[in-house]
Amino acid sequence: MLNNIKNNFRITEKSPDQIGPLKLAYLGDAVYEMIIRTVLMDERERPVKKMNKKAQSLVNATTQAEIAAVITDDLSEEEKAVFLRGRNAKSSSVSKHSDIHDYRIATGLESLFGYLYLKDDMERAVEHVKIAFDRLDLDI
């Protein structure tokens, strides 16, 4: 999919290492939400309104901070570096529904997902989400 987007829109090839952590987080937010929404679509029959409510409970800074906490030890050195760059990035905004600590950790996680997407390694991103959901016993 990524190559198709790059080819059709003539996107200049850049290494994910050359992209700032907040831009990676911008993309990674969508990547994480896409994983969650895909899983919600397939689990069981439920109205879209309920799927959206469930997605909102999983796609927020607090839940993302919990996910980051349980997968940190499983990250490669490269992934840890990306996560830390995202977590430590200075953002001009903060979510009104979470504290700054959770928000920064969530930004680190989103940076990681953006990075993995640009490396064309969605398999690894999905693996991290699956491991976290199993460990946290999160119900989808």
Side-chain angles (χ1 to χ4, degrees), residues 3-12:
N3 286 332
N4 189 8
I5 294 169
K6 286 180 180 179
N7 291 336
N8 278 292
F9 290 92
R10 296 184 194 100
I11 295 173
T12 307

Side-chain angles (χ1 to χ4, degrees), residues 11-121:
I11 295 173
T12 307
E13 191 70 35
K14 254 189 196 176
S15 168
D17 297 316
Q18 297 174 314
I19 298 172
L22 295 178
K23 285 187 178 182
L24 289 174
Y26 170 76
L27 182 59
D29 178 53
V31 170
Y32 174 70
E33 186 158 355
M34 184 178 65
I35 293 168
I36 297 303
R37 286 179 180 232
T38 301
V39 173
L40 287 171
M41 289 280 303
D42 196 44
E43 281 298 307
R44 53 184 108 106
E45 288 296 319
R46 72 175 107 185
V48 173
K49 184 176 181 177
K50 286 188 178 183
M51 287 191 313
N52 191 47
K53 186 173 180 152
K54 185 64 178 178
Q56 287 175 349
S57 75
L58 298 169
V59 182
N60 62 62
T62 303
T63 303
Q64 288 173 316
E66 291 172 3
I67 287 170
V70 299
I71 67 166
T72 301
D73 290 341
D74 299 310
L75 300 179
S76 69
E77 290 304 314
E78 175 186 0
E79 291 171 339
K80 282 180 187 174
V82 171
F83 170 77
L84 291 174
R85 275 191 332 146
R87 186 197 68 188
N88 296 334
K90 300 296 182 218
S91 175
S92 61
S93 64
V94 179
S95 171
K96 58 185 170 189
H97 300 292
S98 66
D99 67 37
I100 187 69
H101 183 258
D102 285 352
Y103 184 77
R104 289 213 168 126
I105 293 171
T107 301
L109 185 71
E110 291 169 349
S111 294
L112 174 61
F113 287 138
Y115 180 83
L116 291 172
Y117 173 77
L118 291 175
K119 283 191 66 175
D120 205 16
D121 198 356

